[in-house]
Amino acid sequence: GKTVATTVIYQYFKRQGKTVAIVKPFQTGRDERTKRYPDLAWFEDHLQIDVISYVTLPRPASPHFALKEKNQTICIDTLVQQINEVIVTHDITLIEGAGGLAVPLFEEEQGYTMTTDFIRALNVPVILVNESGLGAIHDAVTTYTYAKAEQLMIAAVLFNRFDETNDLHQDNIQTTMQLLGHTYYGVIPP
């Protein structure tokens, strides 16, 4: 979902002549057969680019768990600074999350630092990536509502694997956008 959407957005802006970087701050789940991380490998294979990733952990798990297992700690301020250095040197910087908005990235004494905390620290808009088929309305409305409650700037909702000949897909998007009252959306075909 997110990786394909990031690829499509990357290609769109590259065709516009923009300098584009992809950052995947947290990447878990190395494929032990290939010794590669599947999302990073996708970008290398399909876009012929190296994606910037700061925290790579072999365990396929939430970043907070994989970090705890390795007894590693993270400084959110350092990550924000590193990503801001990328942002100022590119026209467009796409930052792909790990999991979803409600994913804990790491745990400290005062509690969890969630993906939403990280997004707010970066002060960047969010493109929500959603499926188009069965369950799409619930997933989109729930994620959007959570993002708004977390005071995130939502730039758009992007529906992945959209089949224009499928009446359910068409209705899911129309209904979702009516429910959200949000006018910016896009579709990615299968």
Side-chain angles (χ1 to χ4, degrees), residues 98 122 141 179:
L122 286 165
V141 170
L179 290 169

Side-chain angles (χ1 to χ4, degrees), residues 105-168:
L105 297 176
F106 52 92
E107 186 177 5
E108 298 175 290
E109 283 183 27
Q110 65 270 27
Y112 293 105
T113 296
M114 303 293 288
T115 298
T116 52
D117 299 317
F118 190 44
I119 294 168
R120 276 193 306 276
L122 286 165
N123 194 32
V124 294
V126 176
I127 297 173
L128 301 176
V129 178
N130 203 72
E131 288 296 321
S132 298
L134 188 62
I137 296 169
H138 174 271
D139 291 349
V141 170
T142 303
T143 303
Y144 185 92
T145 302
Y146 178 66
K148 288 303 242 183
E150 290 292 315
Q151 301 175 340
L152 302 181
M153 298 176 285
I154 302 169
V157 180
L158 191 55
F159 293 90
N160 207 359
R161 298 184 185 106
F162 175 71
D163 178 355
E164 67 182 23
T165 66
N166 186 316
D167 59 348
L168 176 64

Side-chain angles (χ1 to χ4, degrees), residues 31-163:
D31 182 329
E32 291 308 315
R33 288 178 304 108
T34 63
K35 301 298 183 201
R36 298 171 79 196
Y37 290 90
D39 291 351
L40 302 179
W42 169 273
F43 293 123
E44 291 169 3
D45 295 347
H46 289 85
L47 298 176
Q48 286 75 49
I49 63 167
D50 289 324
V51 172
I52 302 161
S53 191
Y54 301 105
V55 181
T56 53
L57 300 155
R59 178 81 181 259
S62 172
H64 87 282
F65 184 81
L67 282 164
K68 191 184 325 183
E69 182 178 71
K70 289 286 191 184
N71 200 27
Q72 285 182 250
T73 58
I74 298 297
C75 175
I76 193 169
D77 294 334
T78 301
L79 279 176
V80 167
Q81 179 183 349
Q82 290 171 319
I83 293 170
N84 280 330
E85 289 171 6
V86 175
I87 289 171
V88 299
T89 59
H90 293 81
D91 296 324
I92 303 290
T93 301
L94 303 171
I95 305 166
E96 183 180 318
L101 292 179
V103 171
L105 297 176
F106 52 92
E107 186 177 5
E108 298 175 290
E109 283 183 27
Q110 65 270 27
Y112 293 105
T113 296
M114 303 293 288
T115 298
T116 52
D117 299 317
F118 190 44
I119 294 168
R120 276 193 306 276
L122 286 165
N123 194 32
V124 294
V126 176
I127 297 173
L128 301 176
V129 178
N130 203 72
E131 288 296 321
S132 298
L134 188 62
I137 296 169
H138 174 271
D139 291 349
V141 170
T142 303
T143 303
Y144 185 92
T145 302
Y146 178 66
K148 288 303 242 183
E150 290 292 315
Q151 301 175 340
L152 302 181
M153 298 176 285
I154 302 169
V157 180
L158 191 55
F159 293 90
N160 207 359
R161 298 184 185 106
F162 175 71
D163 178 355

Side-chain angles (χ1 to χ4, degrees), residues 137 141 174-182:
I137 296 169
V141 170
Q174 180 184 14
T175 301
T176 299
M177 298 317 290
Q178 273 186 299
L179 290 169
L180 298 181
H182 198 276

